[in-house]
């Protein structure tokens, strides 16, 4: 599983960097069968954004196996972390709210400066 | 060497018999004797009576061993039990001659164990079921008498081990309706019971503590040289909880490996199959004497054994793949040879006459996910079992996109989903497959996380039947009260949002199924009926209030994971479908309010006067007062949300607004 994400993340990062709009552009056929791929993309964007802004207190990240050099590498431990923090407020709104905004805006969403 | 004494074997035998009878009598009446003595205020100390009775049993065993040895010595001196007396037709019974016996050395049950092992070995090696049967007539009784006797057990299994495990193949009947005679069944039952008892025994202390069963015996058990015979000992042995869970787990693995490796796991074929009826009978015989199923069944009864197998982080997935499969049936037979050449000119036909064997497999899968949730090693294995079962199901679906698993197996998948519902709800957006503690709080229960793609495939396979899907949705809806209360008590986590995500996924799966009108009605009716019967049974209050007492996040999670008790669920949906459709919208709105308010009551956020007409004994029974109360309280804030917001979130979680 990790291998798949290791492959996907760089592509994903490039898409963001170029501001490419097509959502399914780089998706493999396996990803197309994942009914959660849009939601997961939004989760990753929202959490990465909060990480970049230093909005998540360090003590909440102490045992995170899904974080390397400030980059989110989602795994099952991340599923657990997200689930147990989805109603925690970061910079005024809950993680769920952040995710919903990112999902609604799709590829046009940018991490607020 | 002890003291040699002269004995008359026949007298010794009689003495043993009477000693045995005396022991039986004492054991039977001991409770009454003690009771009476106490009642009468007797000065006689009766507390040592149980110990004396146990010692008497030891004496019986010792004497029994000496009797066996005495007869053996007599035979060595040329004596035979049945000899033709000169000039007399037929046989007369001869008294054995007197012999000299090492009284101490033979008065130990280990000696009897060795002798019994030799008897068994000789009988089974004879390869004639009739001879074996006669030679083994006394064995079951001896095995039963020494069931709890470590010395005997160690000596017996060291001596008889490998051959005893092949007893079934030596004893089966070569013809007739039943595969085993009554005597053979008695031997197999006694051997199975003895093996189960021995499997739980340990010898040595401290570092040296080890299983009583010799390594060689255990190696033969799992060595697959004759898996069918081993399976028969397990089949006729005791219920699963009487076995050592590790041994049953090892046995399960070896049976599954043998099956996967194409080893002969079926009962022997007797004679040639000449007619279609013969071939069909053979299939039924295979089902009746199914060795793999027998072991799976015992492991399922044991519970922990199933969890050792599927909960192993390294090998659990491999065995889950073997179990989650549509191959659980007898192989079937080619009907071609039994057809006239007109009907069938030649060539192999698809196999026919297969008998379904998925029940023990399904029971095993259920047992593997049935540990009580919490922090124990058992809970950890159970959580890993869930992960592996979901992965294996997803892989099966990927390899066989058009195949639906047998109903029994699908039911066990649904059972898994019910027991681990909050875990799966969190996995709707899951990354990777793993069991781990929930969050990083102390005392965190073990949870299962699976990848979102695997979860979707798993649910697609499990919920294939519209009625199953409806019932599952109904049970999910009924957890609204638990999810409301949990979200209040564990404010970091939004359980309603997670349930909503799971509902979204099932809705998507349902759309893919493209049910026809009748199926859609079935699904809807089942969902509503299940939901109604659970919440009107007051389930939410019953199973939740206690667990929320201390209010820690771990307890909240375990409480949400608690599936509704199935006896409370009325799954018979023969209600008037018309009526549901007519009133559905109104009724559902009303019934979302009930679990929401139930949840807030459980979380202790609403204080109701004692005489509230719509809330009695923890159950809400809606009436006009209830409607009034709701109207006057819908904008009151409870646990951070207005009542009408809770209802809106719950409706969303139940998918009503979609």
């Amino acid at each position: 599983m990790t291998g798949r994400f290791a492959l996907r993340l760089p592509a994903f990062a490039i898409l963001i960097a170029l501001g490419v709009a097509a959502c399914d552009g780089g998706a493999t056929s396996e990803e197309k069968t994942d009914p959660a791929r849009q939601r997961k993309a939004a989760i990753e964007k929202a959490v990465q954004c909060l990480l970049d802004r230093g909005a998540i207190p360090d003590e909440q990240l102490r045992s995170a196996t899904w974080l390397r050099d400030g980059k989110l590498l989602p795994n099952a431990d991340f599923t657990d972390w997200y689930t147990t923090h989805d109603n925690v407020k970061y910079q005024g709104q809950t993680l769920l709210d952040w995710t919903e905004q990112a999902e609604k805006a799709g590829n046009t969403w940018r991490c607020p400066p | 060497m002890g003291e040699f004494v002269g004995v008359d074997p026949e007298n010794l035998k009689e003495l043993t018999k009477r000693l045995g009878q005396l022991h039986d009598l004492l054991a039977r009446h001991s409770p009454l004797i003690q009771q009476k003595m106490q009642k009468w205020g007797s000065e006689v100390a009766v507390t040592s009576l149980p110990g004396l009775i146990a010692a008497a049993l030891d004496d019986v065993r010792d004497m029994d061993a000496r009797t066996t040895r005495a007869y053996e010595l007599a035979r060595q001196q040329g004596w035979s039990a049945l000899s033709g007396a000169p000039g007399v037709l037929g046989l007369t019974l001869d008294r054995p001659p007197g012999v000299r016996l090492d009284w101490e050395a033979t008065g130990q049950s280990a000696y009897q164990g060795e002798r019994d092992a030799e008897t068994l070995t000789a009988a089974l090696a004879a390869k004639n079921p009739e001879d074996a049967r006669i030679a083994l007539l006394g064995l079951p009784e001896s095995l039963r008498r020494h069931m709890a006797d470590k010395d005997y057990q160690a000596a017996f299994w060291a001596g008889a081990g490998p051959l005893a495990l092949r007893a079934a193949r030596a004893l089966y009947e070569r013809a007739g309706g039943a595969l085993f005679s009554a005597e053979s069944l008695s031997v197999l039952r006694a051997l199975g019971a003895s093996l189960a008892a021995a499997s739980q025994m340990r010898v040595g202390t401290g570092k040296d503590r080890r299983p009583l069963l010799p390594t060689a015996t255990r190696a033969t058990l799992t060595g697959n040289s004759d898996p069918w015979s081993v399976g028969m000992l397990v089949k006729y042995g005791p219920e699963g909880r009487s076995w050592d869970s590790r041994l049953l787990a090892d046995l399960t693995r070896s049976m599954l490996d043998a099956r996967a490796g194409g080893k002969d796991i079926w009962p022997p074929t007797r004679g040639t199959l000449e007619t279609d009826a013969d071939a069909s009978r053979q299939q039924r015989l295979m089902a009746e004497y199914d060795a793999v199923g027998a072991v799976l069944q015992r492991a399922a009864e044991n519970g922990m054994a199933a969890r050792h197998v599927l909960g192993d982080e390294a090998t659990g997935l491999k065995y889950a793949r073997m179990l989650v499969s549509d191959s659980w049936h007898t192989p079937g037979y080619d009907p071609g040879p039994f057809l006239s050449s007109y009907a069938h000119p030649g060539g192999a036909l698809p196999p026919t006459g297969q008998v379904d064997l998925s029940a023990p497999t399904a029971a095993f899968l259920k047992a593997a996910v049935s540990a009580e949730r919490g922090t124990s090693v058992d809970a950890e294995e159970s959580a890993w079992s869930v992960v592996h079962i979901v992965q294996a199901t997803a892989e099966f679906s990927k390899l066989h996109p058009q195949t639906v698993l047998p109903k029994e197996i699908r039911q066990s998948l649904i059972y898994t989903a019910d027991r681990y519902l909050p875990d799966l709800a969190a996995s709707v957006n899951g990354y990777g497959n793993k069991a781990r503690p929930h969050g990083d709080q102390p005392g965190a229960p073990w949870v299962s996380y699976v990848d979102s793609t695997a979860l979707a495939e798993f649910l697609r396979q499990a919920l294939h039947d519209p009625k199953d899907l409806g019932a599952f949705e109904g049970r999910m809806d009924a957890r609204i009260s638990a999810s409301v209360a949990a979200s209040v008590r564990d404010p970091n986590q939004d359980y309603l949002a997670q349930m909503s995500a799971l509902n979204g996924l099932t809705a998507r799966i349902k759309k893919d199924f493209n049910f026809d009108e009748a199926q859609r009605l079935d699904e809807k009716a089942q969902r509503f009926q299940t939901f109604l019967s659970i919440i009107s049974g007051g389930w939410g209050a019953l199973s939740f209030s206690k667990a929320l007492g201390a209010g820690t996040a771990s307890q909240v999670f375990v409480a949400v994971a608690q599936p509704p008790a199935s006896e409370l669920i009325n799954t018979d949906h023969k209600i008037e479908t018309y009526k549901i459709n007519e009133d559905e919208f109104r009724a559902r709105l009303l019934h979302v309010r009930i679990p929401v308010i139930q949840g807030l009551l459980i979380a202790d956020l609403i204080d109701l006067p004692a005489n509230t007409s719509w809330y009695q004994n923890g159950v809400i029974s809606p009436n006009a007062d209830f409607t009034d109360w709701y109207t006057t309280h819908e904008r009151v804030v409870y646990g951070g949300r207005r009542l009408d917001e809770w209802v809106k979130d719950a409706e969303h979680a139940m998918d009503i607004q979609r």
Side-chain angles (χ1 to χ4, degrees):
Chain A
M1 281 297 137
T2 339
R4 184 158 72 82
F5 290 110
L7 281 177
R8 186 147 82 98
L9 272 181
F12 174 63
I14 292 164
L15 282 180
I16 298 294
L18 297 176
V20 175
C23 170
D24 284 343
T28 65
S29 65
E30 190 182 335
E31 281 165 44
K32 278 182 185 155
T33 66
D34 184 354
R37 74 179 180 284
Q38 279 181 27
R39 180 73 176 184
K40 282 163 79 173
I43 289 172
E44 289 160 36
K45 275 194 280 186
V47 173
Q48 186 64 62
C49 164
L50 292 170
L51 287 168
D52 293 346
R53 298 171 60 150
I56 304 173
D58 281 348
E59 71 262 20
Q60 289 181 18
L61 302 172
R62 200 163 294 139
S63 51
T65 62
W66 39 271
L67 199 56
R68 196 170 302 151
D69 302 329
K71 287 289 165 222
L72 171 64
L73 301 167
N75 58 12
D77 294 328
F78 176 69
T79 308
D80 180 71
W81 183 86
Y82 183 83
T83 307
T84 52
H85 292 79
D86 64 0
N87 210 33
V88 175
K89 279 189 177 172
Y90 297 103
Q91 304 208 324
Q93 52 181 3
T94 67
L95 197 46
L96 273 174
D97 294 336
W98 282 100
T99 307
E100 242 133 61
Q101 283 164 15
E103 190 181 12
K104 268 197 194 122
N107 286 308
T108 61
W109 190 78
R110 295 288 170 272
C111 186
Chain B
M1 274 297 183
E3 185 190 354
F4 275 86
V5 291
V7 295
D8 176 333
E10 189 132 314
N11 286 345
L12 194 60
K13 186 172 156 191
E14 184 61 24
L15 181 65
T16 307
K17 199 175 102 195
R18 290 187 191 183
L19 198 57
Q21 285 166 346
L22 187 62
H23 163 263
D24 290 348
L25 193 76
L26 261 180
R28 221 172 23 249
H29 294 296
S30 145
L32 194 66
I33 295 170
Q34 291 194 61
Q35 201 187 33
K36 293 277 190 232
M37 286 293 195
Q38 271 159 9
K39 200 174 155 192
W40 298 331
S42 162
E43 299 288 308
V44 181
V46 288
T47 44
S48 57
L49 200 55
L52 289 172
I53 292 172
L57 181 62
D58 283 343
D59 290 342
V60 175
R61 288 175 184 154
D62 291 353
M63 292 304 278
D64 195 40
R66 290 183 183 114
T67 306
T68 307
R69 179 66 185 152
Y71 271 89
E72 198 177 69
L73 288 171
R75 271 192 295 273
Q76 281 171 14
Q77 289 174 23
W79 168 81
S80 164
L82 296 170
S83 61
V88 182
L89 277 179
L91 300 171
T92 51
L93 282 177
D94 245 2
R95 260 186 96 91
V99 295
R100 289 188 69 76
L101 185 71
D102 183 340
W103 192 254
E104 282 308 308
T106 51
Q108 288 164 1
S109 52
Y111 179 81
Q112 183 68 36
E114 278 169 38
R115 292 287 80 75
D116 285 351
E118 280 166 20
T119 309
L120 181 73
T121 312
L124 296 183
K127 298 209 188 294
N128 177 346
E130 194 58 26
D131 293 347
R133 222 164 61 190
I134 293 165
L136 292 177
L137 278 177
L139 183 70
E141 178 50 35
S142 188
L143 283 170
R144 266 190 289 276
R145 189 178 304 144
H146 295 280
M147 199 72 80
D149 178 346
K150 279 190 182 180
D151 292 339
Y152 175 93
Q153 290 276 22
F156 178 80
W157 286 103
L163 207 56
L165 301 178
R166 285 193 284 275
R169 195 165 296 278
L171 290 173
Y172 81 90
E173 301 292 310
R174 302 317 193 245
L179 200 57
F180 297 111
S181 67
E183 295 94 334
S184 297
L185 277 184
S186 168
V187 172
L188 292 177
R189 284 204 179 94
L191 279 173
S194 172
L195 182 62
S199 76
Q200 294 189 315
M201 291 176 178
R202 300 288 179 272
V203 289
T205 48
K207 250 195 202 161
D208 193 35
R209 201 162 165 75
R210 58 191 190 280
L212 172 132
L213 276 179
T215 318
T217 308
R218 278 180 291 148
T220 315
L221 264 176
T222 55
N224 285 335
S225 66
D226 186 356
W228 179 74
S229 292
V230 171
M232 289 304 101
L233 288 191
V234 177
K235 177 180 168 72
Y236 291 110
E239 203 259 0
R241 274 165 300 178
S242 302
W243 295 77
D244 175 57
S245 65
R246 293 279 164 202
L247 183 86
L248 272 187
D250 288 345
L251 270 178
T252 306
R253 282 187 271 256
S254 76
M255 289 307 254
L256 290 174
D257 284 334
R259 181 179 183 270
K263 288 253 172 76
D264 188 14
I265 50 167
W266 300 112
T269 309
R270 303 180 303 168
T272 49
L273 306 175
E274 278 164 4
T275 63
D276 189 66
D278 287 347
S280 158
R281 198 176 307 119
Q282 174 65 13
Q283 293 295 311
R284 288 199 300 275
L285 202 77
M286 287 170 127
E288 193 177 343
Y289 300 98
D290 166 25
V292 182
V295 173
L296 289 175
Q297 182 62 39
R298 292 287 179 242
E301 290 161 1
N302 182 279
M304 279 178 82
R307 298 191 279 281
H308 293 332
V309 175
L310 292 190
D312 187 284
E313 210 182 318
T315 62
L317 178 58
K318 171 180 146 191
Y319 294 105
R321 284 188 191 116
M322 295 181 191
L323 292 165
V324 180
S325 147
D326 63 342
S327 65
W328 292 98
H329 50 71
T330 61
Y333 60 94
D334 176 3
F338 309 119
L339 296 171
S340 78
S341 50
Y342 276 116
H344 177 61
L349 291 173
T352 184
Q354 293 168 334
V355 183
D356 179 73
L357 298 175
S358 54
T361 314
F364 185 93
L365 290 170
K366 283 184 182 177
V369 300
S370 289
E372 192 181 329
R373 302 213 53 172
T375 56
S376 67
V377 174
D378 199 23
E380 179 182 357
E381 286 184 334
S382 189
W384 271 110
S385 297
V386 174
V387 171
H388 292 144
I389 289 172
V390 172
Q391 280 182 280
T393 309
E395 286 179 23
F396 177 86
S397 294
K398 216 169 163 186
L399 286 171
H400 315 276
Q402 303 305 321
T403 310
V404 178
L405 286 164
K407 188 174 174 61
E408 299 252 22
I409 302 220
R410 276 184 286 126
Q411 292 299 331
S412 68
L413 302 181
I414 294 173
Y415 175 90
T416 305
D418 273 332
R419 283 190 70 85
Y420 285 76
L421 200 68
D423 312 53
L424 300 190
S427 298
V428 170
N429 303 309
Y431 299 86
N433 306 293
K434 186 180 175 183
R436 55 157 287 154
H438 183 240
D440 46 14
Q441 76 246 341
W446 281 90
V447 290
S448 317
Y449 293 115
V450 294
D451 199 74
S452 54
T453 43
L455 177 65
E457 284 306 323
F458 169 79
L459 290 177
R460 213 185 297 278
Q461 184 62 255
L463 302 175
H464 204 267
D465 183 309
K467 287 181 194 168
D468 287 344
L469 187 123
F472 181 73
E473 290 175 308
R475 290 194 296 275
M476 269 171 56
D477 292 347
R479 292 202 201 201
I480 290 303
S481 56
S483 302
V484 166
S487 302
V488 171
R489 285 298 169 95
D490 180 2
N492 287 347
Q493 193 165 338
D494 192 332
Y495 286 91
L496 276 178
Q498 287 159 25
M499 290 299 284
S500 174
L502 186 56
N503 240 318
L505 178 60
T506 35
R508 204 182 305 226
I509 289 169
K510 190 160 55 180
K511 222 174 119 204
D512 292 348
F513 281 153
N514 233 333
F515 290 147
D516 63 28
E517 191 52 26
Q519 289 173 317
R520 233 194 313 272
L521 278 178
D522 266 353
E523 176 260 324
K524 262 186 162 174
Q526 189 70 69
R527 177 178 187 171
F528 191 45
Q529 176 77 0
T530 306
F531 169 60
L532 258 186
S533 59
I534 298 172
I535 60 157
S536 56
W539 163 74
L542 285 177
S543 70
F544 208 59
S545 52
K546 251 201 296 186
L548 267 192
T552 72
S554 315
Q555 282 171 322
V556 168
F557 184 86
V558 171
V560 184
Q562 190 67 41
S566 59
E567 57 268 26
L568 286 177
I569 306 170
N570 178 5
T571 47
D572 181 14
H573 74 291
K574 283 178 196 132
I575 39 175
E576 297 158 56
T577 318
Y578 284 124
K579 197 168 172 306
I580 295 178
N581 288 330
E582 202 179 301
D583 297 341
E584 188 177 28
F585 188 69
R586 195 184 55 77
R588 282 211 180 177
L589 271 189
L590 177 65
H591 287 298
V592 175
R593 291 175 192 177
I594 296 175
V596 165
I597 294 169
Q598 184 85 271
L600 295 173
L601 282 163
I602 294 164
D604 253 347
L605 290 177
I606 298 179
D607 218 4
L608 291 174
N611 59 355
T612 304
S613 69
W614 51 268
Y615 186 68
Q616 295 298 325
N617 306 320
V619 178
I620 295 176
S621 319
N623 57 15
D625 291 347
F626 175 76
T627 316
D628 282 351
W629 184 90
Y630 182 83
T631 317
T632 51
H633 290 78
E634 62 182 343
R635 303 189 73 79
V636 177
V637 174
Y638 298 102
R641 293 182 216 186
R642 285 202 320 262
L643 181 56
D644 59 349
E645 285 172 336
W646 277 115
V647 170
K648 211 172 98 245
D649 289 345
E651 283 170 2
H652 194 256
M654 290 166 74
D655 206 28
I656 284 172
Q657 292 182 323
R658 266 173 236 262

